């Protein structure tokens, strides 16, 4: 029986995280889900949002820009478009991205521009929310 979970968060650019943790809570496409050691295996899509985990008493937070999660009894692997630990988030950049996205939403001339701006706004808001946790 596994006592910990190896949590790995990987993006096309880098390995964001590889840690032995006690619990993982992730923003699944059909709602947030929690994973403890020895969970039954499953695969799911991940939304833009907040991933959190615990090591001993300490909670840590990661902004996650969507992707896939593979859950195994002793391992959770997240393949994300982009992800940042709370402490790595550049708040000034995220605020600028939020303002840009809001402007683009207001000025969108077609559906595609609107949907792209909406996605950029979601990413910026997720980063700002997670950054507040540090
Ligand atoms: P921006 O418009 O500021 O580039 P974005 O949402 O378009 O934001 P992404 O395409 O999601 O950015 O990410 C591109 C790269 O930049 C990724 O490596 C991501 O981790 C990093 N990144 C984006 N925004 C931030 C931020 N505020 N703080 C730290 N890293 C960030």
């Amino acid at each position: 029986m596994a006592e910990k979970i190896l949590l790995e968060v990987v993006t096309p650019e880098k390995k964001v995280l590889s840690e032995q943790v006690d619990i993982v809570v992730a923003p699944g496409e059909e709602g947030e889900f929690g994973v403890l050691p020895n969970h039954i295996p499953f695969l799911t899509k991940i939304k833009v949002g907040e991933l959190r985990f615990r090591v001993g008493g300490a909670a840590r937070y990661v902004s996650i820009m969507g992707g896939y999660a593979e859950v195994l009894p002793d391992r959770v692997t997240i393949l994300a478009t982009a992800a940042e630990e709370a402490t790595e988030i550049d708040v000034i950049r995220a605020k600028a991205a939020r303002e840009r996205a809001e402007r683009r939403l207001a000025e969108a001339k077609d559906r595609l521009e609107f949907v792209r701006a909406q996605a950029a706004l979601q990413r910026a808001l997720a980063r700002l929310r997670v950054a507040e946790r540090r």
Side-chain angles (χ1 to χ4, degrees):
M1 295 284 273
E3 288 183 0
K4 294 253 183 195
I5 305 163
L6 176 63
L7 171 63
E8 296 208 291
V9 180
V10 181
T11 73
E13 289 171 14
K14 59 183 176 189
K15 186 175 274 194
V16 177
L17 203 79
S18 179
E19 297 246 354
Q20 293 286 345
V21 309
D22 297 306
I23 181 170
V24 180
V25 179
E29 201 159 64
E30 280 145 38
E32 199 172 69
F33 62 88
V35 177
L36 290 165
N38 306 302
H39 201 289
I40 51 161
F42 71 98
L43 197 61
T44 185
K45 270 191 171 179
I46 296 285
K47 290 195 292 200
V48 173
E50 174 184 283
L51 174 84
R52 54 185 195 274
F53 61 96
R54 250 173 204 288
V55 186
R60 282 164 58 186
Y61 301 87
V62 178
S63 54
I64 200 105
M65 298 303 121
Y68 294 89
E70 180 193 42
V71 174
L72 297 174
D74 63 347
R75 184 183 293 250
V76 173
T77 307
I78 312 269
L79 301 175
T81 313
E84 305 87 26
E85 266 222 67
T87 48
E88 303 294 318
I89 294 171
D90 177 341
V91 172
I92 292 170
R93 176 174 169 181
K95 283 186 174 163
R98 178 181 64 193
E99 277 157 32
R100 231 176 12 255
E102 283 170 347
R103 241 186 349 262
R104 282 167 54 203
L105 264 183
E107 294 167 1
K109 288 181 194 60
D110 56 39
R111 172 124 191 100
L112 182 62
E113 281 183 18
F114 187 83
V115 169
R116 282 189 174 154
Q118 220 172 22
L121 181 59
Q122 270 185 12
R123 293 196 299 275
L125 291 176
R127 287 180 171 122
L128 290 171
R129 258 196 315 272
V130 170
E132 277 180 8
R133 304 279 216 169
R134 66 193 174 196

PDB file of all heavy atoms in Angstrom, residues 11 13-14 65 81-84 88-97 100 104 119-120 123-124 127, ligand 1:
ATOM      1  N   THR A  11       4.848  20.529 -18.033  1.00  0.00           N
ATOM      2  CA  THR A  11       4.317  21.306 -19.161  1.00  0.00           C
ATOM      3  C   THR A  11       5.223  21.035 -20.361  1.00  0.00           C
ATOM      4  O   THR A  11       6.287  20.422 -20.205  1.00  0.00           O
ATOM      5  CB  THR A  11       4.328  22.818 -18.847  1.00  0.00           C
ATOM      6  OG1 THR A  11       5.680  23.283 -18.890  1.00  0.00           O
ATOM      7  CG2 THR A  11       3.709  23.126 -17.488  1.00  0.00           C
ATOM      8  N   GLU A  13       7.142  22.945 -21.617  1.00  0.00           N
ATOM      9  CA  GLU A  13       8.394  23.673 -21.410  1.00  0.00           C
ATOM     10  C   GLU A  13       9.275  23.062 -20.329  1.00  0.00           C
ATOM     11  O   GLU A  13      10.493  23.115 -20.413  1.00  0.00           O
ATOM     12  CB  GLU A  13       8.107  25.119 -21.001  1.00  0.00           C
ATOM     13  CG  GLU A  13       7.550  25.974 -22.113  1.00  0.00           C
ATOM     14  CD  GLU A  13       7.085  27.336 -21.609  1.00  0.00           C
ATOM     15  OE1 GLU A  13       7.433  27.716 -20.473  1.00  0.00           O
ATOM     16  OE2 GLU A  13       6.356  27.997 -22.356  1.00  0.00           O
ATOM     17  N   LYS A  14       8.623  22.550 -19.257  1.00  0.00           N
ATOM     18  CA  LYS A  14       9.447  22.141 -18.108  1.00  0.00           C
ATOM     19  C   LYS A  14       8.689  21.225 -17.145  1.00  0.00           C
ATOM     20  O   LYS A  14       7.465  21.102 -17.229  1.00  0.00           O
ATOM     21  CB  LYS A  14       9.922  23.373 -17.342  1.00  0.00           C
ATOM     22  CG  LYS A  14       8.772  24.213 -16.827  1.00  0.00           C
ATOM     23  CD  LYS A  14       9.257  25.476 -16.127  1.00  0.00           C
ATOM     24  CE  LYS A  14       8.050  26.293 -15.741  1.00  0.00           C
ATOM     25  NZ  LYS A  14       8.301  27.590 -15.255  1.00  0.00           N
ATOM     26  N   MET A  65      -3.123  25.651 -16.124  1.00  0.00           N
ATOM     27  CA  MET A  65      -3.827  26.270 -17.251  1.00  0.00           C
ATOM     28  C   MET A  65      -4.570  25.257 -18.115  1.00  0.00           C
ATOM     29  O   MET A  65      -4.780  25.461 -19.302  1.00  0.00           O
ATOM     30  CB  MET A  65      -2.823  27.074 -18.100  1.00  0.00           C
ATOM     31  CG  MET A  65      -2.172  28.204 -17.339  1.00  0.00           C
ATOM     32  SD  MET A  65      -3.354  29.375 -16.649  1.00  0.00           S
ATOM     33  CE  MET A  65      -2.972  29.279 -14.919  1.00  0.00           C
ATOM     34  N   THR A  81      -0.916  22.665 -19.978  1.00  0.00           N
ATOM     35  CA  THR A  81      -0.472  23.629 -20.990  1.00  0.00           C
ATOM     36  C   THR A  81       0.568  24.566 -20.377  1.00  0.00           C
ATOM     37  O   THR A  81       1.590  24.865 -20.987  1.00  0.00           O
ATOM     38  CB  THR A  81      -1.690  24.461 -21.458  1.00  0.00           C
ATOM     39  OG1 THR A  81      -2.751  23.561 -21.717  1.00  0.00           O
ATOM     40  CG2 THR A  81      -1.377  25.269 -22.682  1.00  0.00           C
ATOM     41  N   ALA A  82       0.286  25.047 -19.176  1.00  0.00           N
ATOM     42  CA  ALA A  82       1.237  25.845 -18.404  1.00  0.00           C
ATOM     43  C   ALA A  82       0.838  25.702 -16.945  1.00  0.00           C
ATOM     44  O   ALA A  82      -0.327  25.414 -16.639  1.00  0.00           O
ATOM     45  CB  ALA A  82       1.222  27.305 -18.838  1.00  0.00           C
ATOM     46  N   ALA A  83       1.786  25.880 -16.045  1.00  0.00           N
ATOM     47  CA  ALA A  83       1.505  25.775 -14.608  1.00  0.00           C
ATOM     48  C   ALA A  83       2.593  26.526 -13.854  1.00  0.00           C
ATOM     49  O   ALA A  83       3.747  26.570 -14.301  1.00  0.00           O
ATOM     50  CB  ALA A  83       1.485  24.315 -14.175  1.00  0.00           C
ATOM     51  N   GLU A  84       2.202  27.138 -12.751  1.00  0.00           N
ATOM     52  CA  GLU A  84       3.177  27.870 -11.937  1.00  0.00           C
ATOM     53  C   GLU A  84       2.865  27.662 -10.464  1.00  0.00           C
ATOM     54  O   GLU A  84       1.713  27.770 -10.056  1.00  0.00           O
ATOM     55  CB  GLU A  84       3.117  29.381 -12.213  1.00  0.00           C
ATOM     56  CG  GLU A  84       3.273  29.795 -13.666  1.00  0.00           C
ATOM     57  CD  GLU A  84       1.956  29.818 -14.448  1.00  0.00           C
ATOM     58  OE1 GLU A  84       0.897  29.998 -13.819  1.00  0.00           O
ATOM     59  OE2 GLU A  84       1.976  29.619 -15.671  1.00  0.00           O
ATOM     60  N   GLU A  88       5.941  31.368  -7.722  1.00  0.00           N
ATOM     61  CA  GLU A  88       6.598  31.692  -8.999  1.00  0.00           C
ATOM     62  C   GLU A  88       5.772  32.663  -9.839  1.00  0.00           C
ATOM     63  O   GLU A  88       6.205  33.085 -10.917  1.00  0.00           O
ATOM     64  CB  GLU A  88       6.791  30.404  -9.834  1.00  0.00           C
ATOM     65  CG  GLU A  88       7.575  29.305  -9.146  1.00  0.00           C
ATOM     66  CD  GLU A  88       9.015  29.709  -8.913  1.00  0.00           C
ATOM     67  OE1 GLU A  88       9.616  30.316  -9.816  1.00  0.00           O
ATOM     68  OE2 GLU A  88       9.516  29.465  -7.803  1.00  0.00           O
ATOM     69  N   ILE A  89       4.555  32.968  -9.376  1.00  0.00           N
ATOM     70  CA  ILE A  89       3.668  33.781 -10.215  1.00  0.00           C
ATOM     71  C   ILE A  89       4.085  35.250 -10.175  1.00  0.00           C
ATOM     72  O   ILE A  89       4.279  35.823  -9.106  1.00  0.00           O
ATOM     73  CB  ILE A  89       2.199  33.605  -9.775  1.00  0.00           C
ATOM     74  CG1 ILE A  89       1.765  32.168 -10.059  1.00  0.00           C
ATOM     75  CG2 ILE A  89       1.288  34.598 -10.488  1.00  0.00           C
ATOM     76  CD1 ILE A  89       0.413  31.806  -9.482  1.00  0.00           C
ATOM     77  N   ASP A  90       4.216  35.826 -11.343  1.00  0.00           N
ATOM     78  CA  ASP A  90       4.528  37.247 -11.487  1.00  0.00           C
ATOM     79  C   ASP A  90       3.184  37.989 -11.501  1.00  0.00           C
ATOM     80  O   ASP A  90       2.451  37.951 -12.488  1.00  0.00           O
ATOM     81  CB  ASP A  90       5.311  37.426 -12.801  1.00  0.00           C
ATOM     82  CG  ASP A  90       5.638  38.881 -13.092  1.00  0.00           C
ATOM     83  OD1 ASP A  90       4.990  39.781 -12.519  1.00  0.00           O
ATOM     84  OD2 ASP A  90       6.550  39.091 -13.910  1.00  0.00           O
ATOM     85  N   VAL A  91       2.884  38.624 -10.368  1.00  0.00           N
ATOM     86  CA  VAL A  91       1.553  39.241 -10.195  1.00  0.00           C
ATOM     87  C   VAL A  91       1.377  40.436 -11.134  1.00  0.00           C
ATOM     88  O   VAL A  91       0.300  40.633 -11.705  1.00  0.00           O
ATOM     89  CB  VAL A  91       1.354  39.652  -8.716  1.00  0.00           C
ATOM     90  CG1 VAL A  91       0.095  40.470  -8.532  1.00  0.00           C
ATOM     91  CG2 VAL A  91       1.290  38.397  -7.844  1.00  0.00           C
ATOM     92  N   ILE A  92       2.437  41.196 -11.325  1.00  0.00           N
ATOM     93  CA  ILE A  92       2.335  42.370 -12.216  1.00  0.00           C
ATOM     94  C   ILE A  92       2.006  41.912 -13.635  1.00  0.00           C
ATOM     95  O   ILE A  92       1.141  42.482 -14.311  1.00  0.00           O
ATOM     96  CB  ILE A  92       3.650  43.192 -12.166  1.00  0.00           C
ATOM     97  CG1 ILE A  92       3.757  43.826 -10.775  1.00  0.00           C
ATOM     98  CG2 ILE A  92       3.689  44.264 -13.254  1.00  0.00           C
ATOM     99  CD1 ILE A  92       5.089  44.461 -10.482  1.00  0.00           C
ATOM    100  N   ARG A  93       2.664  40.841 -14.056  1.00  0.00           N
ATOM    101  CA  ARG A  93       2.390  40.295 -15.395  1.00  0.00           C
ATOM    102  C   ARG A  93       0.947  39.798 -15.496  1.00  0.00           C
ATOM    103  O   ARG A  93       0.261  40.046 -16.483  1.00  0.00           O
ATOM    104  CB  ARG A  93       3.375  39.159 -15.684  1.00  0.00           C
ATOM    105  CG  ARG A  93       3.108  38.467 -17.005  1.00  0.00           C
ATOM    106  CD  ARG A  93       4.193  37.454 -17.307  1.00  0.00           C
ATOM    107  NE  ARG A  93       3.807  36.622 -18.435  1.00  0.00           N
ATOM    108  CZ  ARG A  93       4.554  35.634 -18.912  1.00  0.00           C
ATOM    109  NH1 ARG A  93       5.714  35.381 -18.373  1.00  0.00           N
ATOM    110  NH2 ARG A  93       4.124  34.920 -19.937  1.00  0.00           N
ATOM    111  N   ALA A  94       0.478  39.099 -14.458  1.00  0.00           N
ATOM    112  CA  ALA A  94      -0.895  38.561 -14.495  1.00  0.00           C
ATOM    113  C   ALA A  94      -1.927  39.691 -14.495  1.00  0.00           C
ATOM    114  O   ALA A  94      -2.954  39.600 -15.165  1.00  0.00           O
ATOM    115  CB  ALA A  94      -1.111  37.617 -13.311  1.00  0.00           C
ATOM    116  N   LYS A  95      -1.635  40.770 -13.757  1.00  0.00           N
ATOM    117  CA  LYS A  95      -2.570  41.910 -13.756  1.00  0.00           C
ATOM    118  C   LYS A  95      -2.600  42.573 -15.131  1.00  0.00           C
ATOM    119  O   LYS A  95      -3.667  42.957 -15.617  1.00  0.00           O
ATOM    120  CB  LYS A  95      -2.169  42.931 -12.681  1.00  0.00           C
ATOM    121  CG  LYS A  95      -2.560  42.471 -11.290  1.00  0.00           C
ATOM    122  CD  LYS A  95      -2.287  43.533 -10.249  1.00  0.00           C
ATOM    123  CE  LYS A  95      -2.823  43.079  -8.887  1.00  0.00           C
ATOM    124  NZ  LYS A  95      -2.261  43.847  -7.782  1.00  0.00           N
ATOM    125  N   ALA A  96      -1.429  42.679 -15.750  1.00  0.00           N
ATOM    126  CA  ALA A  96      -1.375  43.264 -17.095  1.00  0.00           C
ATOM    127  C   ALA A  96      -2.144  42.381 -18.075  1.00  0.00           C
ATOM    128  O   ALA A  96      -2.893  42.872 -18.934  1.00  0.00           O
ATOM    129  CB  ALA A  96       0.076  43.437 -17.535  1.00  0.00           C
ATOM    130  N   ALA A  97      -1.990  41.052 -17.922  1.00  0.00           N
ATOM    131  CA  ALA A  97      -2.705  40.111 -18.807  1.00  0.00           C
ATOM    132  C   ALA A  97      -4.211  40.239 -18.598  1.00  0.00           C
ATOM    133  O   ALA A  97      -4.987  40.195 -19.555  1.00  0.00           O
ATOM    134  CB  ALA A  97      -2.221  38.680 -18.541  1.00  0.00           C
ATOM    135  N   ARG A 100      -5.359  43.453 -20.299  1.00  0.00           N
ATOM    136  CA  ARG A 100      -5.346  43.261 -21.759  1.00  0.00           C
ATOM    137  C   ARG A 100      -6.551  42.434 -22.189  1.00  0.00           C
ATOM    138  O   ARG A 100      -7.245  42.764 -23.146  1.00  0.00           O
ATOM    139  CB  ARG A 100      -4.060  42.531 -22.142  1.00  0.00           C
ATOM    140  CG  ARG A 100      -3.306  43.208 -23.239  1.00  0.00           C
ATOM    141  CD  ARG A 100      -1.979  42.603 -23.600  1.00  0.00           C
ATOM    142  NE  ARG A 100      -1.645  41.291 -23.080  1.00  0.00           N
ATOM    143  CZ  ARG A 100      -0.774  41.074 -22.090  1.00  0.00           C
ATOM    144  NH1 ARG A 100      -0.185  42.091 -21.481  1.00  0.00           N
ATOM    145  NH2 ARG A 100      -0.497  39.850 -21.685  1.00  0.00           N
ATOM    146  N   ARG A 104      -9.623  43.383 -24.635  1.00  0.00           N
ATOM    147  CA  ARG A 104      -9.912  42.589 -25.844  1.00  0.00           C
ATOM    148  C   ARG A 104     -11.344  42.065 -25.824  1.00  0.00           C
ATOM    149  O   ARG A 104     -11.989  41.981 -26.865  1.00  0.00           O
ATOM    150  CB  ARG A 104      -8.920  41.418 -25.942  1.00  0.00           C
ATOM    151  CG  ARG A 104      -7.547  41.861 -26.448  1.00  0.00           C
ATOM    152  CD  ARG A 104      -6.501  40.781 -26.238  1.00  0.00           C
ATOM    153  NE  ARG A 104      -6.876  39.501 -26.809  1.00  0.00           N
ATOM    154  CZ  ARG A 104      -6.383  38.324 -26.393  1.00  0.00           C
ATOM    155  NH1 ARG A 104      -5.510  38.275 -25.391  1.00  0.00           N
ATOM    156  NH2 ARG A 104      -6.756  37.206 -26.968  1.00  0.00           N
ATOM    157  N   ALA A 119     -10.573  33.225 -22.631  1.00  0.00           N
ATOM    158  CA  ALA A 119      -9.611  32.222 -22.139  1.00  0.00           C
ATOM    159  C   ALA A 119      -8.413  32.912 -21.480  1.00  0.00           C
ATOM    160  O   ALA A 119      -7.944  32.479 -20.420  1.00  0.00           O
ATOM    161  CB  ALA A 119      -9.159  31.326 -23.297  1.00  0.00           C
ATOM    162  N   ALA A 120      -7.939  34.011 -22.092  1.00  0.00           N
ATOM    163  CA  ALA A 120      -6.803  34.748 -21.515  1.00  0.00           C
ATOM    164  C   ALA A 120      -7.199  35.335 -20.158  1.00  0.00           C
ATOM    165  O   ALA A 120      -6.402  35.332 -19.215  1.00  0.00           O
ATOM    166  CB  ALA A 120      -6.351  35.852 -22.477  1.00  0.00           C
ATOM    167  N   ARG A 123      -7.154  32.621 -17.535  1.00  0.00           N
ATOM    168  CA  ARG A 123      -5.783  32.277 -17.119  1.00  0.00           C
ATOM    169  C   ARG A 123      -5.260  33.319 -16.130  1.00  0.00           C
ATOM    170  O   ARG A 123      -4.693  32.980 -15.093  1.00  0.00           O
ATOM    171  CB  ARG A 123      -4.840  32.191 -18.336  1.00  0.00           C
ATOM    172  CG  ARG A 123      -5.147  31.055 -19.272  1.00  0.00           C
ATOM    173  CD  ARG A 123      -3.985  30.766 -20.222  1.00  0.00           C
ATOM    174  NE  ARG A 123      -3.638  31.877 -21.076  1.00  0.00           N
ATOM    175  CZ  ARG A 123      -4.219  32.169 -22.241  1.00  0.00           C
ATOM    176  NH1 ARG A 123      -5.211  31.411 -22.691  1.00  0.00           N
ATOM    177  NH2 ARG A 123      -3.816  33.206 -22.961  1.00  0.00           N
ATOM    178  N   ALA A 124      -5.465  34.601 -16.472  1.00  0.00           N
ATOM    179  CA  ALA A 124      -4.958  35.677 -15.599  1.00  0.00           C
ATOM    180  C   ALA A 124      -5.640  35.619 -14.236  1.00  0.00           C
ATOM    181  O   ALA A 124      -4.986  35.756 -13.196  1.00  0.00           O
ATOM    182  CB  ALA A 124      -5.193  37.026 -16.272  1.00  0.00           C
ATOM    183  N   ARG A 127      -4.277  32.802 -12.124  1.00  0.00           N
ATOM    184  CA  ARG A 127      -2.940  33.121 -11.577  1.00  0.00           C
ATOM    185  C   ARG A 127      -3.056  34.088 -10.406  1.00  0.00           C
ATOM    186  O   ARG A 127      -2.371  33.923  -9.394  1.00  0.00           O
ATOM    187  CB  ARG A 127      -2.059  33.713 -12.668  1.00  0.00           C
ATOM    188  CG  ARG A 127      -1.619  32.648 -13.670  1.00  0.00           C
ATOM    189  CD  ARG A 127      -0.752  33.192 -14.778  1.00  0.00           C
ATOM    190  NE  ARG A 127      -0.227  32.079 -15.551  1.00  0.00           N
ATOM    191  CZ  ARG A 127      -0.416  31.926 -16.865  1.00  0.00           C
ATOM    192  NH1 ARG A 127      -1.077  32.817 -17.575  1.00  0.00           N
ATOM    193  NH2 ARG A 127       0.083  30.859 -17.469  1.00  0.00           N
TER     194      ARG A 127
HETATM  195  P1  LIG B   1       0.852  36.456 -20.881  1.00  0.00           P
HETATM  196  O1  LIG B   1      -0.101  37.221 -21.769  1.00  0.00           O
HETATM  197  O2  LIG B   1       1.299  37.221 -19.674  1.00  0.00           O
HETATM  198  O3  LIG B   1       1.999  35.806 -21.637  1.00  0.00           O
HETATM  199  P2  LIG B   1      -0.552  33.947 -21.031  1.00  0.00           P
HETATM  200  O4  LIG B   1      -1.768  33.498 -20.286  1.00  0.00           O
HETATM  201  O5  LIG B   1      -0.713  34.195 -22.490  1.00  0.00           O
HETATM  202  O6  LIG B   1      -0.001  35.245 -20.261  1.00  0.00           O
HETATM  203  P3  LIG B   1       0.624  31.349 -21.160  1.00  0.00           P
HETATM  204  O7  LIG B   1       0.601  31.207 -22.645  1.00  0.00           O
HETATM  205  O8  LIG B   1      -0.426  30.642 -20.365  1.00  0.00           O
HETATM  206  O9  LIG B   1       0.626  32.924 -20.794  1.00  0.00           O
HETATM  207  O10 LIG B   1       2.049  30.928 -20.584  1.00  0.00           O
HETATM  208  C1  LIG B   1       3.269  31.151 -21.306  1.00  0.00           C
HETATM  209  C2  LIG B   1       4.435  30.920 -20.354  1.00  0.00           C
HETATM  210  O11 LIG B   1       4.531  32.019 -19.433  1.00  0.00           O
HETATM  211  C3  LIG B   1       4.283  29.681 -19.463  1.00  0.00           C
HETATM  212  O12 LIG B   1       5.571  29.157 -19.230  1.00  0.00           O
HETATM  213  C4  LIG B   1       3.715  30.224 -18.161  1.00  0.00           C
HETATM  214  O13 LIG B   1       4.064  29.403 -17.059  1.00  0.00           O
HETATM  215  C5  LIG B   1       4.377  31.589 -18.088  1.00  0.00           C
HETATM  216  N1  LIG B   1       3.551  32.607 -17.429  1.00  0.00           N
HETATM  217  C6  LIG B   1       2.461  33.247 -17.935  1.00  0.00           C
HETATM  218  N2  LIG B   1       2.001  34.172 -17.087  1.00  0.00           N
HETATM  219  C7  LIG B   1       2.795  34.100 -15.982  1.00  0.00           C
HETATM  220  C8  LIG B   1       2.829  34.806 -14.739  1.00  0.00           C
HETATM  221  N3  LIG B   1       1.955  35.767 -14.435  1.00  0.00           N
HETATM  222  N4  LIG B   1       3.789  34.479 -13.837  1.00  0.00           N
HETATM  223  C9  LIG B   1       4.698  33.521 -14.130  1.00  0.00           C
HETATM  224  N5  LIG B   1       4.730  32.825 -15.283  1.00  0.00           N
HETATM  225  C10 LIG B   1       3.785  33.108 -16.197  1.00  0.00           C
END
